[in-house]
C-alpha cells in the first residue's frame, strides 16, 4: 500500500516535551497535514536539546525517508541549537544568511532592537533555502530533504503551509470509520478474516473505553476508493452478523 | 546532570497516531511520571503497526537506555502484533501464559465469552512477567528492561502505577518556572550568560505567543535544590535589570 508513496519522519527537538511539562501538538498537526497530501508519515522521534542526539537522529531519518520535518530549537536563546546540528549533519558551515538578516532588519528597525540574540536567528546552514515566517519573521529553512521549522505551534503551522508547494505528495490515503458497539474481543476473529480478505485496505481497530464499557472504532484505510467501499460493506455485514448471533452475550461491551 | 541517572525511552506503536487521526497522550503521561521518580526520559519514538519496524525500534532503544516503555498493540485484534514483535526482538518463543489464561478465565466465565480473540491476549513472550491490568484484566508484561503496556490511556496509566515498584528511580529533577514578560530575542544574550554561569542547572527558554505578543517561560531544572534556588535568583535579577534598561523599547514583546 505504501511502496510507491513518498515517506516522511518528524523530529521534535525539546527537553520540555521529554520532561512531560509540555505536550507536543506539532507532530499530530504535521501528521494530519501529510496524510491529506498523500505523504506517509512513518516515524516520529522526540530527542533532547543536545547536538549529538539531534545530529544522530537527523542522519538516521534523512537517509530512511523522503522528507524529514523538524520543529523546535531555532529561536534566539542559548538552548536553540537545531541550526548548528543540521549544519553538522549535512557537513556544511553555518553563516549569517544575507536574506535572513534583511528580513530581520526590516522588522527590527532600530539597531538596538536587532539584538545579538535576534541576529542569531539569521544563522543558516550554507546551501539552505529560507522558509517564510509570517508570524514572527525569523525564517525556518530547508536543506536537502530536511525542513526545519519553529517549535511555536502557530509559527510551525504557518511555515508548513509555506512549504506545501515544495513537497511532492502522492495519492492520499482515504479512510472511513465504522463505529462498532462491541469490544474488540467480541469481533477480533471475524475482523481478522475480513482484513485478510481485503488486502487493498488496512483495517485498524481502536478500543474506546467509556463508563466501564468498551466499544471499538474500526478505521479502514486505502488509496483505492472502490476497495475502501467494498471493505466497509464487509465490515458492516460482519457487525450485523455478530449482533444477530450474540444478542444475549453479557460480555459484548467487555474488552 | 544526567550521567548517573537511570534513562528511558518510550515506544508508541500505532498507525493511528502517525495518520494524525489520534493524538498520542500516553507519551506525555509517561514522561511526567518518569520525571517524578527521577528517571530521565531521553527519547520518544512512534512507529507503525509493522513487526520489522517494532523489532528494530525495540532493539535500538533497549540497548541504549535503562528502561523502555511501549504502549499499544497488545489487544485481541489482527493489528495487535506487539507481543510477537517483542518475542522476536528478545529471540524467545511466544506462548499462552498459564497465569494470563487464568486471569481471563476468571473474568470471562462462560466458555463462549472467552473468545479466540480474547484468548489471544494470553500470548506472552517466554520469560516475561505479567503486569496487572485492573481495568480490563488482559495483562501487560515485562521482559528484560522492556515494559509492554496497553494503548488505551486509562489502562496504560493503571499499568504504569503497577510497575512503579519495579523501577529504580534516581534523584528527581526539580524545576522552577520564571515567567518573563519579554520575548526571547530581548533576553537571549543575558540569559545565555546566566546559563553559562550556572552549570549545575539547565535553563530552557520557551516562547509563548498570545494575541501577537511574545513572552517567555524560563524553566530552570536541576537535581540540586540549592543550585536551583541560586540560578532562579540570578534569572530574576537579570530580568529586573532588563526591565530597568529597556523600558522604552517597543519590541519587548516581539520575538
Amino acid at each position: 500500500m505504501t511502496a510507491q508513496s513518498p515517506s516522511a519522519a518528524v523530529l521534535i527537538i525539546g527537553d520540555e516535551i521529554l520532561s512531560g511539562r509540555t505536550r507536543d501538538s506539532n507532530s499530530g498537526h504535521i501528521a494530519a497535514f501529510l496524510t491529506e497530501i498523500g505523504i506517509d508519515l512513518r516515524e516520529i522521534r522526540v530527542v533532547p536539546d543536545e547536538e549529538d542526539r539531534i545530529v544522530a537522529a537527523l542522519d538516521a531519518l534523512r537517509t530512511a525517508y523522503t522528507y524529514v520535518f523538524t520543529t523546535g530549537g531555532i529561536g534566539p536563546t542559548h538552548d536553540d541549537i537545531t541550526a548548528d546540528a543540521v549544519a553538522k549533519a549535512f557537513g556544511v558551515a553555518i553563516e549569517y544568511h544575507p536574506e535572513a538578516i534583511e528580513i530581520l532588519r526590516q522588522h527590527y528597525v532600530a539597531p538596538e532592537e536587532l539584538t545579538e540574540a535576534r541576529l542569531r536567528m539569521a544563522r543558516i546552514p550554507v546551501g539552505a533555502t529560507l522558509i517564510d515566517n509570517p508570524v514572527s519573521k525569523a525564517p525556518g529553512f530547508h536543506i536537502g530533504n530536511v525542513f526545519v521549522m519553529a517549535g511555536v505551534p502557530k509559527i510551525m503551522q504557518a511555515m508548513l503551509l509555506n512549504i506545501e508547494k515544495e513537497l511532492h505528495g502522492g495519492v492520499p490515503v482515504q479512510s472511513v470509520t465504522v463505529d462498532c458497539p462491541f469490544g474488540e474481543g467480541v469481533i477480533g476473529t471475524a475482523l481478522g478474516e475480513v482484513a485478510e480478505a481485503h488486502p487493498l485496505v488496512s483495517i485498524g481497530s481502536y478500543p474506546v473505553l467509556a463508563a466501564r464499557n468498551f466499544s471499538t472504532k474500526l478505521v479502514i484505510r486505502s488509496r483505492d476508493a472502490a476497495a475502501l467501499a467494498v471493505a466497509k460493506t464487509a465490515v458492516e455485514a460482519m457487525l450485523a452478523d455478530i449482533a444477530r448471533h450474540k444478542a444475549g452475550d453479557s460480555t459484548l461491551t467487555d474488552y
Side-chain angles (χ1 to χ4, degrees), chain A residues 110-121:
Chain A
E112 68 272 19
E113 291 171 2
L114 187 50
T115 59
E116 184 190 329
R118 284 173 176 150
L119 202 54
R120 219 177 146 256
M121 297 191 284

Side-chain angles (χ1 to χ4, degrees), chain A residues 30-157:
Chain A
I30 299 172
F33 170 86
L34 294 176
T35 296
E36 265 182 37
I37 61 174
I39 295 175
D40 285 338
L41 178 58
R42 303 276 298 157
E43 182 164 350
I44 300 167
R45 282 196 203 186
V46 186
V47 300
D49 303 330
E50 295 171 18
E51 191 177 86
D52 58 336
R53 297 294 313 280
I54 303 170
V55 171
L58 277 169
D59 282 341
L61 299 174
R62 73 193 178 93
T63 53
Y65 303 106
T66 316
Y67 300 113
V68 177
F69 302 89
T70 79
T71 74
I74 60 167
T77 54
H78 65 284
D79 56 341
D80 291 307
I81 59 172
T82 302
D84 293 87
V86 172
K88 202 165 215 175
F90 279 91
V92 300
I94 184 162
E95 291 177 1
Y96 286 90
H97 191 291
E99 201 183 327
I101 294 175
E102 191 49 36
I103 290 168
L104 293 173
R105 276 209 182 115
Q106 286 184 14
H107 183 66
Y108 300 105
V109 180
E112 68 272 19
E113 291 171 2
L114 187 50
T115 59
E116 184 190 329
R118 284 173 176 150
L119 202 54
R120 219 177 146 256
M121 297 191 284
R123 293 173 68 248
I124 306 284
V126 171
T129 54
L130 304 184
I131 299 173
D132 188 37
N133 167 2
V135 179
S136 62
K137 303 305 170 189
F141 60 87
H142 156 205
I143 180 168
N145 59 341
V146 177
F147 293 80
V148 178
M149 301 184 288
V152 177
K154 202 169 189 173
I155 303 175
M156 190 284 295
Q157 291 164 21

